[in-house]
Amino acid sequence: MRAIRAASVLSPSFAFISIQNKFPPTRCFNIAAAAGSEAATDRFWEACVDCWRPDIGDVDRISWGKPAKKKGTGSRGVPHRLNRDERTLFDLARKKGHLEVAGSAWRAQRREAPLLNTYRSYCDARGVASVVLQKSEGGDGDLVTMDLSPLRRPDAFRDWAEECARRVQPFTPKIPDALDDDNSDGTPADDGVDSWKSRPIYQLPPFYITWSLQRADAKKLCKQLSSLFETADPSVSRSRKPVGVKPGKGRRSGGYGIG
């Protein structure tokens, strides 16, 4: 116990008296850490950590058309390069935790959806689910899709999907019975090895949980899913164009004005 000396104003000579401090110094309490630990305790899912994953920096590089440092991050058969409008949506999605696109996000020039491919790779790099809101023209039939494949735990996908459905009631999802047979690049999903631990995400089948809702309910659900699966990253900064990025030579290689 510490002794504190205090002046007594009752004494003409202001004599010092000794007071015992009965309260030891308090420790600082980190509210953010406590909230994080509470969320972790309530978490019903867990991403695979002992597996191959791309680097977030490499995902950003291939989205600009630059080569990745880590082999397997991208593929010539799966476009990832974004145009200006797609990059704005991608940056917003990283902050909010879910991607919002008009319709299927299909880009005719690439005959694919580069934005969806890039966002799925980004979620794989972070080890979180991919939540996408596909907006309909009138807002009456928006489609919310959540892909659990970036978590790389196929044995648990069905159980997590059912638990998620229980937690976001009254919104009822459509849950698939099994994984798709083929991947996005046409390669068989199972080659006899533990492909979920060794292969890039574009060679793995998605596991989509879907909801068809009105616009207001769809946005509310996306926020719930983002919170449940911890997909948001408010601290992320806007992506910057690397040095040496040039427009694609043709529409199949990126489209004019890309970057």
Side-chain angles (χ1 to χ4, degrees):
M1 307 297 276
R2 283 190 309 176
I4 301 178
R5 301 185 70 194
S8 173
V9 295
L10 300 179
S11 170
S13 59
F14 292 90
F16 284 94
I17 59 176
S18 178
I19 303 176
Q20 290 291 330
N21 180 14
K22 297 183 179 180
F23 303 97
T26 57
R27 296 180 180 178
C28 295
F29 189 73
N30 192 326
I31 299 178
S37 60
E38 183 179 350
T41 305
D42 194 41
R43 183 189 299 167
F44 60 90
W45 57 272
E46 195 67 42
C48 179
V49 293
D50 183 22
C51 62
W52 186 94
R53 290 190 184 277
D55 181 74
I56 293 181
D58 275 346
V59 174
D60 187 60
R61 286 186 193 94
I62 65 174
S63 75
W64 289 101
K66 300 285 284 184
K69 295 181 180 179
K70 192 174 184 179
K71 186 177 180 181
T73 302
S75 168
R76 292 183 181 274
V78 183
H80 290 86
R81 192 171 187 177
L82 307 179
N83 61 25
R84 185 180 293 108
D85 293 336
E86 290 169 339
R87 185 158 303 280
T88 299
L89 295 175
F90 177 64
D91 286 341
L92 288 173
R94 292 191 299 166
K95 281 184 174 292
K96 295 190 298 184
H98 68 273
L99 178 66
E100 295 186 13
V101 296
S104 63
W106 181 270
R107 180 140 49 97
Q109 295 91 337
R110 300 306 307 277
R111 303 178 188 177
E112 247 282 10
L115 178 55
L116 298 183
N117 295 335
T118 298
Y119 188 63
R120 189 182 183 213
S121 292
Y122 170 76
C123 292
D124 182 42
R126 293 187 59 216
V128 296
S130 171
V131 182
V132 180
L133 169 57
Q134 298 179 358
K135 298 179 180 178
S136 61
E137 189 173 349
D140 295 329
D142 289 359
L143 185 67
V144 176
T145 65
M146 183 171 66
D147 181 14
L148 297 181
S149 63
L151 300 177
R152 293 179 176 261
R153 295 280 303 280
D155 56 325
F157 287 167
R158 180 77 187 185
D159 292 337
W160 292 344
E162 292 175 353
E163 176 62 19
C164 173
R166 187 184 67 81
R167 298 197 182 201
V168 299
Q169 290 179 356
F171 305 125
T172 305
K174 181 180 180 181
I175 302 174
D177 294 328
L179 291 164
D180 293 338
D181 293 334
D182 294 326
N183 309 313
S184 55
D185 67 349
T187 308
D190 189 0
D191 55 3
V193 228
D194 195 353
S195 54
W196 286 91
K197 289 190 176 183
S198 60
R199 299 176 67 171
I201 195 69
Y202 54 81
Q203 291 183 354
L204 298 173
F207 188 90
Y208 290 127
I209 310 169
T210 58
W211 293 261
S212 182
L213 301 167
Q214 299 288 327
R215 179 69 49 83
D217 289 337
K219 290 195 171 188
K220 181 180 178 181
L221 174 61
C222 285
K223 290 181 179 179
Q224 284 183 272
L225 295 175
S226 175
S227 176
L228 275 178
F229 288 88
E230 303 169 24
T231 58
D233 186 6
S235 63
V236 72
S237 58
R238 180 182 176 183
S239 55
R240 295 187 178 183
K241 182 177 178 180
V243 178
V245 173
K246 298 179 181 180
K249 295 180 180 179
R251 294 185 181 276
R252 290 304 306 276
S253 63
Y256 299 105
I258 303 297

